[in-house]
Amino acid sequence: MSYAPSPAALARIDRTIAGYPERPAAILPVLHIIQEEAGFVSGEAARWVAARLGLEAVRVREVISFYTMFRTAPAGRHTLRVCRNLSCHLAGADDLLSFISQKLGIGPDETTSDGGITLVTAECLGNCDHAPCLQIDGVDHGPVSRDAAAALIEEIQAHGR
Amino acid sequence: MVDNGLALLPSDDRAWRLEAYLARGGYDAARKAVTTMTPEAVVCEIRDAVLRGRGGAGFPAGVKWGFVPRGLAGPKYLCVNADEGEPGTFKDRHVLCCAPHQLLEGMVIAAYGVGIGSAYIYVRGEYALIADRLRAAIGEARSAGYLGPDIFGSDFGLEVTVHPGAGAYICGEETALLESLEGRRGQPRVKPPFPATVGLFRSPTVINNVETLASVPQILARGAEWFRGRGLPQDGGTRLFGVSGAVRHPGVYELPVGTSLRTIVEISAGGPPEGRSIKAVVPGGLSAPVLRPEELDVAMDFDALAKAGSMLGSAGIIVVSDETPILDVLLVTARFYAHESCGKCTPCRIGTSWILKVVERLKRLGGGPDDLDLIVRLAGGISGRTLCPLGDGAALPIRALVSKFRGELEQAVTR
Amino acid sequence: MNGAKPVALTIDGRKVVADEGTNILEAAAMAGVDIPHFCYHPGLQVEGSCRMCLVEIEGLPKLELSCSTPVREGQIVRTASDRVRQARRDVLEFLLAEHPLDCPICDKAGECRLQDYYDLHGGFPGRMSEPRRRRAKKVPIGRGLILDRERCILCTRCVRFLRQVTGTGELGVFERGLGTEIGICEEAPVANGYSGNLVDICPVGAITAEDFRFKTRAWFLDRKPSVCPHCSRGCAVVVESVKGYPLSKGERRVYRITAGEAPAVNGFWICDLGRDGRHEIDEGRQTRILKGGEPAAGLFWPQAVAEIASMIRSLPGPDRDGRITVVLNSRLTCEELALAKALFATGLGLDRISFADPRPGPSDDLLLTAERAPNGRGVLEAGFAPRLPLLHELATSKVALIFGTGLAAHFPEEAVAGALAEIPFKVLFEAHAMPYDRLADLVIPVAVPAEKSGTYVNIDGLRQSFGRAVEPGPGIVPEGQILIALARRLGCDPGGSDGR
């Protein structure tokens, strides 16, 4: 079973590679494109990237393991990132995180049993004037109260998928 | 965000578009630079304005641009550091969201001045949606001829690519950013050589922060004297101060360099909430050593803060109230640096985690003065010994927290 | 000195002159000052990550890396000030905080930089009481190499060697922060012909060789330099052996061959072929004189040589050169080749002289040459016009003197046996036992190159003399001694230099 990106993703990937004088430089945007489509970067996909960029497989693994945004295993359909750095901590991020954790029934780096949501803690998301903040699938929310968090979660869950 | 009429950041979210930007005089400064000035004159103007880097290090932009050798064959690159990861810092987000064209115009001027034809904007991975807007702005600019080949009918052109990061604070360090852009782990390089001679793809490279470049058009438009006069002779202009934490009005405030910290915290941001008092203030992002309430009259410029034993850094001000135990601040701080240490050099790789282990133990089980002494000693083993400034960014704030709040910490951990 | 400008600086109060472009660490070494370091290696690009080599430079506020700072005219460097000593202690303390107390079971003990530097620059009590991160301790990474991630200090010498020297890049650095670890992609383990260098360059016991693990202790090893005989590069090697404890009294074993440093030949590296060469020093050796295929108790090599001499003398005069065949090889030293020339070509006037060496193999872009014998140039220098042996020439000899085991590389066993069967008197001088030994009238054991002293001329024409690295077993001598004795017995002038 070998990996191949969709034709649309492949077109984006090749366009991206063309934007750099050296192919390996495209590795971060290419990995993002692949993860956006598949939800994670599988071993197969990593080998595909290595071949496409002219890199040894071990170099791709180096990059994937260094940067925290890449996943090597399937995760939830939605990612809920909760910031716990200083400004958000001062605004009650600890409490927010426990509340969300309890509501979802999972801890950080875990996924709900229906595969819907993966909970992740994050360092500063650059949204400190709206602390405590969180990010759902890349969309910033803040300041997030317990009620607001509950509403956001219910909205995700209501849409099923 | 308070609109105080200085308009680095428009307050209307639709004002990011090219049409709105042009209506406020957008790209006039770039036109002036490219069509009426020599590249050398452009660099001189920025140097005379004493525009110091707004990313954290505060290196004067004009001097940095002057380091790139002229007349060399081969490509040169401009890298925009949009990796905004310094905790407490969110100003670049506002620039990218509300004034992307201002950044682009600053890039055009910089590239013209240094002789650069290709630029990469390294945007942190968590700002993915913001990066999309940036790409849209680039598209607008390119269609209208403000980017691409033959800008303003000259033989100067600039191509801009948005490059996403993927969750590594260390990539805000300029040589780690270059490594990351080249497709590798974001680990800092040994300097020398410096990026001005050996940078991106081994070519001469200028790396500037988002706000630094976005500040450039106004200098060309109104003059170096004007800009410098708005701040201090040794540190010109206004800059974007971010305030967060225990304040009534967290946000971004554009104020003159040299404004006192107290003014920013108590006047602009409204001071602490009802019934609370200020216990500590981080003046320049988490990497800037904390200041006690009696130290708040310091002027917010690089030299004054350095003299006060801290730093202006990214001007990310975080206010801690009496409600928050300093042990918690210490834990959050230690945890951040241990998580973000790239792992390349010995003192940071091992020291930051060792400190975290001690602080976690203190929080869980308590301890004594020896443990606090140990933390200070470990911080001393990191400070000044590392390959890049993250080491100092970890060690100096941690040491300051322990030494300035020793009493409270001893009480908290003794059980 | 090739046009480089000399730079004068002061290191610890002493005036040092070094070429422009030299780093402070190397300049200090030239002045006899050893600045401790882990990640720096003169054969690799600078990494600057271990932070152990920090020194004080007058006029600069922070301590600076001596490995990456070039010397400057008038620089004043201090490598032993209090600040520097403290910085070293701190680096050691950090490394030891996350390092297992494996010394009693670690093969690197006794030759470990972490141990040595703690001894010289540490000496502080352990103050880490938090739990240390546990990691995998026995990760096979290919070519019989084992990675212990707990011991690894992340100097990245191994990663850089494979990227910068062999260009194969099998090792990578994964994760970050304290979780950083070295590893391979399982489907692409270390698989190049220079993998053994990884053990040499690892400053601690993180990379070890299965071949050496738990076999002996570094402080038992007697280390002697030699020249590798497995190709014509002539790399400097170190033969490491133990005689006696923990083996039976008197028994000797070569445990390891490591790289010697020879800037004009192999730099800092040797290939795995050369390392594996340790096996032939101890294994499969011919250890006794055989007569008619049976061990000849009570017969020693001088008497055997006398028998050979009388057999040669028994051949009628003018016919002699047509009926004596000598097979030599390119493992003989220049001194031995001179003796052979003087005796066989000049003294006895033979023209049936041929050379049987291992077949050529693939060369690589680094060190390994196609020619798989060490002294092909020496053979030419001695005045020989080397040619391969001819079986029919052998078969029609009255006397055959065969030095070495090279025939087997060129002819199938039956063919050699068949040819030998035709020869009335055949003598084998060999270091290793061969299947056709039973067919020979006399088999005389000889030394391997590591047991000899002499000179080889390498592929670039460089003459390299080496001394004996290990003692041969009882009754085993280098070919040179046999040639001298034979020449004397035959009344020929041995000529050349003493091959002893």
Side-chain angles (χ1 to χ4, degrees), chain A residues 19-22 24-25 27-29 32 59 62-63 65-70 84-87 89-90 123-129 135 138-140, chain B residues 77 87-90 93-94 120 124-127 129 163-167 180-181 183-184 186 201-202 244 250-251 318-319 324 328 332 335-336 340:
Chain A
Y20 300 87
E22 295 175 359
I27 195 173
L28 288 185
H32 276 301
R59 296 295 285 251
E62 283 194 325
V63 165
S65 67
F66 181 85
Y67 296 94
T68 58
M69 287 182 76
F70 296 126
R84 53 174 192 171
N85 208 295
L86 189 55
S87 303
H89 176 88
L90 296 173
E123 294 295 344
C124 184
L125 293 171
N127 201 14
C128 321
D129 50 346
Q135 220 186 49
V139 176
D140 293 299
Chain B
Y77 295 98
T89 317
F90 42 96
R93 165 197 285 265
H94 283 260
Y120 291 90
R124 63 177 294 186
E126 297 85 345
Y127 282 4
L129 295 176
H163 181 97
S180 182
L181 238 174
R184 288 187 291 275
F201 307 126
R202 297 156 307 283
S244 62
I318 309 174
V319 176
T324 305
D328 282 2
V332 169
R335 189 173 59 199
F336 173 69
E340 299 296 337

Coordinates of all heavy atoms in Angstrom, one line a residue, chain A residues 19-22 24-25 27-29 32 59 62-63 65-70 84-87 89-90 123-129 135 138-140, chain B residues 77 87-90 93-94 120 124-127 129 163-167 180-181 183-184 186 201-202 244 250-251 318-319 324 328 332 335-336 340:
Chain A
G19 N 9.0 27.1 -5.7 CA 9.2 28.4 -5.0 C 10.6 28.5 -4.3 O 10.9 29.5 -3.7
Y20 N 11.4 27.4 -4.4 CA 12.6 27.4 -3.6 C 13.8 27.0 -4.6 O 13.6 26.1 -5.4 CB 12.6 26.4 -2.5 CG 11.5 26.7 -1.5 CD1 10.2 26.3 -1.6 CD2 11.8 27.5 -0.4 CE1 9.2 26.6 -0.7 CE2 10.8 27.9 0.6 CZ 9.5 27.4 0.4 OH 8.6 27.7 1.3
P21 N 14.9 27.6 -4.4 CA 16.0 27.2 -5.3 C 16.6 25.8 -5.0 O 17.3 25.2 -5.8 CB 17.1 28.2 -5.0 CG 16.8 28.8 -3.7 CD 15.3 28.7 -3.5
E22 N 16.3 25.3 -3.8 CA 16.7 23.9 -3.4 C 15.5 23.1 -2.9 O 14.8 23.6 -2.0 CB 17.8 24.0 -2.3 CG 19.1 24.7 -2.8 CD 20.1 24.9 -1.7 OE1 19.9 24.5 -0.6 OE2 21.2 25.5 -2.1
P24 N 14.9 20.5 -0.9 CA 14.7 20.2 0.5 C 14.1 21.4 1.3 O 13.4 21.2 2.3 CB 16.1 19.9 1.0 CG 16.8 19.4 -0.2 CD 16.3 20.2 -1.3
A25 N 14.2 22.6 0.8 CA 13.7 23.8 1.6 C 12.2 23.8 1.6 O 11.6 24.4 2.5 CB 14.2 25.1 0.9
I27 N 10.4 21.4 2.5 CA 9.8 20.3 3.3 C 8.7 20.7 4.3 O 7.7 20.0 4.4 CB 11.0 19.5 4.0 CG1 10.5 18.2 4.6 CG2 11.6 20.4 5.2 CD1 11.6 17.3 5.2
L28 N 8.9 21.9 4.9 CA 7.8 22.2 5.9 C 6.5 22.5 5.2 O 5.5 21.9 5.6 CB 8.2 23.4 6.8 CG 9.3 23.2 7.8 CD1 9.6 24.4 8.7 CD2 9.0 22.0 8.7
P29 N 6.4 23.4 4.2 CA 5.1 23.5 3.5 C 4.6 22.2 2.9 O 3.3 22.0 3.0 CB 5.4 24.6 2.5 CG 6.8 24.7 2.4 CD 7.4 24.3 3.6
H32 N 3.0 20.1 5.6 CA 1.7 20.7 6.1 C 0.6 20.3 5.1 O -0.5 20.0 5.5 CB 1.8 22.3 6.1 CG 2.4 22.8 7.4 ND1 1.8 22.5 8.6 CD2 3.5 23.6 7.6 CE1 2.5 23.2 9.6 NE2 3.5 23.8 9.0
R59 N 16.4 12.1 7.0 CA 16.3 13.6 7.1 C 14.9 14.0 7.3 O 14.6 15.0 8.0 CB 16.9 14.3 5.9 CG 18.4 14.1 5.6 CD 19.2 14.7 6.7 NE 19.3 16.1 6.6 CZ 20.4 16.8 6.2 NH1 21.5 16.1 5.9 NH2 20.4 18.1 6.2
E62 N 13.9 13.3 10.8 CA 14.5 14.3 11.7 C 13.6 15.6 11.8 O 13.3 16.1 12.9 CB 15.8 14.8 11.1 CG 17.0 13.9 11.3 CD 18.3 14.6 11.0 OE1 18.4 15.5 10.2 OE2 19.3 14.3 11.7
V63 N 13.1 16.0 10.6 CA 12.3 17.2 10.6 C 10.9 17.0 11.3 O 10.5 17.7 12.1 CB 12.1 17.7 9.1 CG1 11.0 18.7 9.0 CG2 13.4 18.3 8.6
S65 N 10.1 14.9 13.5 CA 10.2 14.7 14.9 C 10.6 16.0 15.7 O 10.4 16.1 16.9 CB 11.2 13.6 15.3 OG 12.5 14.0 14.9
F66 N 11.2 16.9 15.0 CA 11.6 18.2 15.6 C 10.5 19.2 15.9 O 10.4 19.8 16.9 CB 12.7 18.8 14.8 CG 13.3 20.1 15.4 CD1 14.3 20.0 16.3 CD2 12.8 21.3 15.0 CE1 14.8 21.2 16.9 CE2 13.3 22.5 15.5 CZ 14.3 22.4 16.5
Y67 N 9.6 19.3 14.8 CA 8.6 20.3 14.9 C 7.3 19.7 15.5 O 6.8 18.7 15.0 CB 8.3 20.8 13.4 CG 9.5 21.5 12.9 CD1 10.5 20.8 12.1 CD2 9.8 22.8 13.1 CE1 11.6 21.4 11.5 CE2 10.9 23.5 12.6 CZ 11.8 22.8 11.8 OH 12.9 23.4 11.3
T68 N 6.8 20.4 16.5 CA 5.7 19.8 17.2 C 4.3 19.7 16.5 O 3.4 19.0 16.9 CB 5.4 20.6 18.5 OG1 5.1 22.0 18.2 CG2 6.6 20.5 19.4
M69 N 4.2 20.5 15.4 CA 2.9 20.5 14.7 C 2.6 19.2 13.9 O 1.5 19.0 13.4 CB 2.7 21.7 13.9 CG 2.5 23.0 14.8 SD 2.2 24.5 13.8 CE 0.5 24.2 13.2
F70 N 3.7 18.4 13.6 CA 3.5 17.3 12.8 C 3.1 16.0 13.6 O 3.7 15.8 14.6 CB 4.7 17.0 11.9 CG 5.0 18.1 10.9 CD1 6.2 18.7 10.9 CD2 4.0 18.6 10.1 CE1 6.5 19.7 10.0 CE2 4.3 19.6 9.2 CZ 5.5 20.2 9.2
R84 N -1.0 27.4 27.5 CA -0.8 27.4 29.0 C 0.5 28.2 29.3 O 1.1 28.0 30.4 CB -0.7 26.0 29.5 CG 0.3 25.2 28.8 CD 0.5 23.8 29.5 NE 1.7 23.2 29.0 CZ 2.2 22.1 29.4 NH1 1.7 21.5 30.5 NH2 3.3 21.5 28.9
N85 N 0.9 29.2 28.5 CA 2.0 30.0 28.8 C 1.5 31.1 29.7 O 0.4 31.1 30.2 CB 2.7 30.5 27.5 CG 4.1 30.8 27.8 OD1 4.5 31.7 28.6 ND2 5.0 30.1 27.1
L86 N 2.4 32.1 30.0 CA 2.2 32.9 31.2 C 0.9 33.8 31.2 O 0.1 33.7 32.1 CB 3.4 33.8 31.4 CG 3.4 34.6 32.7 CD1 3.2 33.7 33.9 CD2 4.6 35.5 32.9
S87 N 0.7 34.5 30.1 CA -0.5 35.4 30.1 C -1.8 34.6 30.2 O -2.7 35.0 30.9 CB -0.5 36.2 28.8 OG 0.6 37.0 28.7
H89 N -2.0 31.6 31.5 CA -2.0 31.0 32.9 C -2.6 32.0 33.8 O -3.4 31.6 34.7 CB -0.6 30.6 33.3 CG -0.5 30.1 34.7 ND1 -0.7 28.8 35.0 CD2 -0.3 30.8 35.8 CE1 -0.6 28.6 36.3 NE2 -0.4 29.8 36.8
L90 N -2.2 33.2 33.7 CA -2.6 34.3 34.6 C -4.1 34.5 34.4 O -4.8 34.9 35.4 CB -1.9 35.6 34.3 CG -0.4 35.6 34.6 CD1 0.2 36.9 34.1 CD2 -0.1 35.4 36.1
E123 N 2.3 26.0 23.8 CA 3.0 27.2 24.4 C 2.4 28.4 23.6 O 1.6 28.3 22.8 CB 4.5 27.1 24.2 CG 5.1 25.9 25.0 CD 5.0 26.1 26.5 OE1 4.7 27.2 27.0 OE2 5.2 25.1 27.2
C124 N 2.9 29.6 24.0 CA 2.3 30.9 23.6 C 1.8 30.9 22.1 O 2.6 30.7 21.2 CB 3.2 32.0 23.8 SG 2.5 33.6 23.5
L125 N 0.5 31.2 21.9 CA 0.0 31.2 20.5 C -0.1 32.6 20.0 O -0.6 32.8 18.9 CB -1.5 30.6 20.6 CG -1.6 29.1 20.9 CD1 -3.1 28.8 21.2 CD2 -1.0 28.3 19.8
G126 N 0.5 33.6 20.7 CA 0.6 34.9 20.1 C -0.8 35.6 20.1 O -1.0 36.4 19.3
N127 N -1.6 35.3 21.1 CA -2.9 35.9 21.2 C -3.2 36.4 22.6 O -4.3 36.4 23.1 CB -3.9 34.8 20.8 CG -5.3 35.4 20.3 OD1 -5.4 36.6 20.1 ND2 -6.3 34.6 20.3
C128 N -2.1 36.8 23.3 CA -2.1 37.1 24.7 C -3.1 38.1 25.2 O -3.6 38.1 26.3 CB -0.7 37.5 25.2 SG 0.6 36.6 24.4
D129 N -3.5 39.0 24.3 CA -4.5 40.0 24.8 C -5.9 39.5 24.8 O -6.8 40.2 25.2 CB -4.4 41.3 23.9 CG -4.4 41.0 22.4 OD1 -4.2 39.9 22.0 OD2 -4.6 42.0 21.6
Q135 N -7.1 27.4 20.3 CA -7.2 27.4 18.8 C -7.9 26.1 18.4 O -7.5 25.0 18.9 CB -5.7 27.4 18.3 CG -5.5 28.3 17.0 CD -4.1 28.1 16.5 OE1 -3.6 27.1 16.2 NE2 -3.5 29.3 16.2
G138 N -6.8 25.6 13.9 CA -6.1 26.8 13.4 C -6.9 28.1 13.6 O -6.3 29.2 13.3
V139 N -8.1 28.1 14.1 CA -8.9 29.3 14.3 C -8.8 29.7 15.8 O -9.0 28.9 16.7 CB -10.4 29.1 14.0 CG1 -11.2 30.3 14.3 CG2 -10.6 28.7 12.5
D140 N -8.4 31.0 16.0 CA -8.1 31.4 17.3 C -9.4 31.8 18.0 O -10.3 32.4 17.4 CB -7.2 32.7 17.3 CG -5.8 32.3 16.8 OD1 -5.2 31.5 17.5 OD2 -5.4 32.8 15.8
Chain B
Y77 N 19.1 37.4 -0.2 CA 17.8 37.1 0.3 C 17.4 38.0 1.5 O 18.2 38.4 2.2 CB 17.7 35.6 0.8 CG 17.9 34.6 -0.4 CD1 19.1 34.0 -0.6 CD2 16.8 34.3 -1.2 CE1 19.3 33.1 -1.6 CE2 17.0 33.4 -2.3 CZ 18.2 32.8 -2.5 OH 18.4 32.0 -3.5
P87 N 6.7 34.5 24.4 CA 5.5 34.6 25.2 C 5.2 36.1 25.6 O 6.1 36.8 26.1 CB 5.7 33.7 26.4 CG 6.7 32.7 25.9 CD 7.6 33.5 24.9
G88 N 4.0 36.5 25.4 CA 3.6 37.8 25.8 C 3.6 38.7 24.6 O 3.4 39.9 24.7
T89 N 4.0 38.2 23.4 CA 4.2 39.0 22.2 C 3.1 38.7 21.2 O 2.9 37.5 20.8 CB 5.6 38.8 21.6 OG1 6.5 38.8 22.7 CG2 5.9 39.9 20.6
F90 N 2.4 39.7 20.7 CA 1.3 39.4 19.7 C 1.2 40.6 18.7 O 0.2 40.7 18.0 CB 0.0 39.2 20.4 CG -0.3 40.1 21.6 CD1 -1.0 41.2 21.4 CD2 0.2 39.8 22.8 CE1 -1.3 42.1 22.4 CE2 0.0 40.7 23.9 CZ -0.8 41.8 23.7
R93 N 1.4 39.7 14.9 CA 0.1 39.1 14.5 C -0.8 40.3 14.0 O -1.5 40.2 12.9 CB -0.6 38.4 15.6 CG -2.1 38.1 15.4 CD -2.8 37.8 16.7 NE -2.5 36.5 17.2 CZ -3.3 35.4 16.9 NH1 -4.4 35.5 16.2 NH2 -2.9 34.2 17.4
H94 N -0.9 41.3 14.8 CA -1.7 42.5 14.4 C -1.2 43.1 13.1 O -2.0 43.5 12.3 CB -1.7 43.5 15.5 CG -2.6 43.1 16.7 ND1 -3.9 43.6 16.8 CD2 -2.4 42.3 17.7 CE1 -4.4 43.1 17.9 NE2 -3.6 42.3 18.4
Y120 N 11.6 35.6 1.7 CA 10.7 34.6 2.3 C 10.2 35.1 3.6 O 11.0 35.7 4.4 CB 11.5 33.3 2.6 CG 12.0 32.6 1.3 CD1 13.2 32.9 0.7 CD2 11.1 31.7 0.7 CE1 13.5 32.3 -0.5 CE2 11.5 31.0 -0.4 CZ 12.6 31.4 -1.1 OH 13.0 30.7 -2.2
R124 N 5.1 31.6 11.7 CA 4.9 30.5 12.6 C 3.7 29.6 12.2 O 2.7 30.2 11.7 CB 4.8 30.9 14.0 CG 3.6 31.8 14.4 CD 3.6 32.1 15.9 NE 3.4 30.9 16.7 CZ 3.2 30.9 18.0 NH1 3.3 32.1 18.6 NH2 3.0 29.8 18.7
G125 N 3.8 28.4 12.4 CA 2.8 27.4 11.9 C 1.4 27.7 12.5 O 0.4 27.4 11.8
E126 N 1.4 28.2 13.7 CA 0.1 28.4 14.4 C -0.6 29.6 13.8 O -1.8 29.8 14.1 CB 0.4 28.6 15.9 CG 1.0 27.4 16.6 CD 2.5 27.4 16.5 OE1 3.1 28.1 15.7 OE2 3.1 26.6 17.3
Y127 N 0.1 30.4 13.0 CA -0.6 31.6 12.3 C -1.0 31.2 10.9 O -1.0 32.0 10.0 CB 0.4 32.7 12.2 CG 0.6 33.6 13.5 CD1 0.1 33.2 14.7 CD2 1.5 34.7 13.4 CE1 0.3 34.0 15.9 CE2 1.7 35.4 14.6 CZ 1.1 35.1 15.8 OH 1.4 35.8 16.9
L129 N -3.9 30.7 9.4 CA -4.9 31.5 8.7 C -4.5 32.9 8.4 O -4.8 33.5 7.4 CB -6.2 31.5 9.6 CG -6.8 30.1 9.8 CD1 -7.9 30.1 10.8 CD2 -7.3 29.5 8.5
H163 N 6.4 31.2 3.9 CA 7.0 29.9 4.3 C 6.5 29.6 5.7 O 6.7 30.4 6.7 CB 8.5 29.9 4.3 CG 9.1 28.7 4.7 ND1 9.6 27.8 3.7 CD2 9.4 28.1 5.9 CE1 10.1 26.7 4.4 NE2 10.0 26.9 5.7
P164 N 5.7 28.5 5.9 CA 5.2 28.2 7.2 C 6.2 27.5 8.2 O 6.9 26.6 7.7 CB 4.0 27.3 6.9 CG 4.5 26.5 5.7 CD 5.4 27.5 4.9
G165 N 6.2 27.9 9.4 CA 6.9 27.1 10.4 C 6.0 26.0 10.9 O 5.0 25.8 10.3
A166 N 6.5 25.3 11.9 CA 5.7 24.1 12.4 C 5.8 23.9 13.9 O 5.8 22.7 14.3 CB 6.1 22.9 11.6
G167 N 5.9 24.9 14.6 CA 5.8 24.7 16.1 C 7.2 24.6 16.7 O 7.4 23.6 17.4
S180 N 15.9 26.2 9.4 CA 14.5 25.7 9.2 C 14.1 25.9 7.7 O 13.5 25.1 7.1 CB 13.6 26.3 10.2 OG 12.3 25.8 10.0
L181 N 14.4 27.1 7.2 CA 14.0 27.5 5.9 C 14.7 26.6 4.9 O 14.1 26.3 3.8 CB 14.3 28.9 5.6 CG 13.2 29.8 5.2 CD1 13.6 31.3 5.1 CD2 12.6 29.4 3.8
G183 N 15.2 23.6 5.2 CA 14.6 22.2 5.2 C 15.2 21.3 6.3 O 15.1 20.1 6.2
R184 N 15.8 21.9 7.3 CA 16.4 21.1 8.4 C 15.8 21.4 9.7 O 14.9 22.2 9.9 CB 17.9 21.3 8.4 CG 18.7 20.8 7.2 CD 20.2 20.9 7.4 NE 20.6 22.3 7.3 CZ 20.9 22.9 6.2 NH1 20.8 22.3 5.0 NH2 21.3 24.2 6.2
G186 N 15.5 23.1 13.2 CA 15.7 24.5 13.5 C 16.8 24.7 14.6 O 16.4 25.0 15.7
F201 N 20.7 29.6 2.0 CA 21.3 29.0 0.8 C 22.7 29.5 0.6 O 23.2 29.7 -0.6 CB 20.4 29.1 -0.4 CG 19.0 28.7 -0.3 CD1 18.0 29.6 -0.6 CD2 18.7 27.5 0.2 CE1 16.6 29.2 -0.4 CE2 17.3 27.1 0.4 CZ 16.3 28.0 0.1
R202 N 23.4 29.7 1.7 CA 24.8 30.2 1.7 C 25.0 31.6 1.1 O 26.1 32.0 0.8 CB 25.7 29.2 1.0 CG 25.7 27.8 1.7 CD 26.1 26.6 0.8 NE 25.3 26.5 -0.4 CZ 24.1 26.1 -0.5 NH1 23.5 25.7 0.6 NH2 23.4 26.0 -1.6
S244 N -0.4 42.3 28.4 CA -1.3 41.3 28.7 C -1.1 40.9 30.1 O -0.3 41.4 30.8 CB -1.1 40.1 27.8 OG 0.2 39.5 28.0
P250 N -5.9 44.7 28.1 CA -4.8 44.1 27.3 C -4.9 44.5 25.9 O -6.0 44.7 25.3 CB -5.0 42.6 27.5 CG -6.5 42.4 27.9 CD -6.9 43.7 28.6
G251 N -3.8 44.6 25.2 CA -3.8 45.0 23.8 C -2.5 45.5 23.3 O -1.5 45.4 24.0
I318 N 4.0 41.6 30.3 CA 3.1 40.7 31.0 C 3.0 41.2 32.5 O 4.0 41.2 33.2 CB 3.5 39.3 31.0 CG1 3.8 38.9 29.5 CG2 2.4 38.4 31.6 CD1 4.4 37.4 29.4
V319 N 1.8 41.5 33.0 CA 1.6 42.0 34.3 C 1.1 40.8 35.2 O 0.1 40.2 34.9 CB 0.6 43.1 34.3 CG1 0.4 43.6 35.8 CG2 1.2 44.3 33.5
T324 N -1.3 35.9 42.0 CA -0.6 34.7 41.4 C 0.7 34.4 42.1 O 1.6 35.3 42.3 CB -0.2 35.1 39.9 OG1 -1.3 35.4 39.2 CG2 0.5 33.9 39.2
D328 N 4.3 29.6 40.6 CA 3.5 29.2 39.3 C 4.2 29.9 38.1 O 4.4 29.3 37.1 CB 2.1 29.7 39.4 CG 1.2 28.8 40.2 OD1 1.8 27.8 40.8 OD2 0.0 29.0 40.3
V332 N 5.7 27.9 34.9 CA 5.4 28.1 33.5 C 6.6 28.5 32.7 O 6.8 28.1 31.6 CB 4.3 29.2 33.5 CG1 4.1 29.7 32.0 CG2 3.0 28.7 34.0
R335 N 9.0 25.5 32.3 CA 8.4 24.5 31.4 C 8.5 24.9 30.0 O 8.8 24.1 29.1 CB 6.9 24.3 31.8 CG 6.2 23.2 31.1 CD 4.8 23.0 31.6 NE 4.0 24.1 31.5 CZ 2.9 24.3 32.2 NH1 2.5 23.5 33.1 NH2 2.1 25.4 32.0
F336 N 8.3 26.2 29.7 CA 8.4 26.7 28.4 C 9.8 26.5 27.8 O 9.9 26.0 26.7 CB 8.1 28.2 28.4 CG 8.3 28.9 27.0 CD1 7.5 28.6 25.9 CD2 9.3 29.8 26.9 CE1 7.7 29.2 24.7 CE2 9.6 30.4 25.6 CZ 8.7 30.1 24.6
E340 N 11.0 24.1 24.6 CA 11.5 24.8 23.4 C 12.9 24.7 23.1 O 13.4 25.0 22.0 CB 11.0 26.3 23.3 CG 9.5 26.5 23.4 CD 8.8 25.9 22.2 OE1 9.4 25.7 21.2 OE2 7.6 25.6 22.4

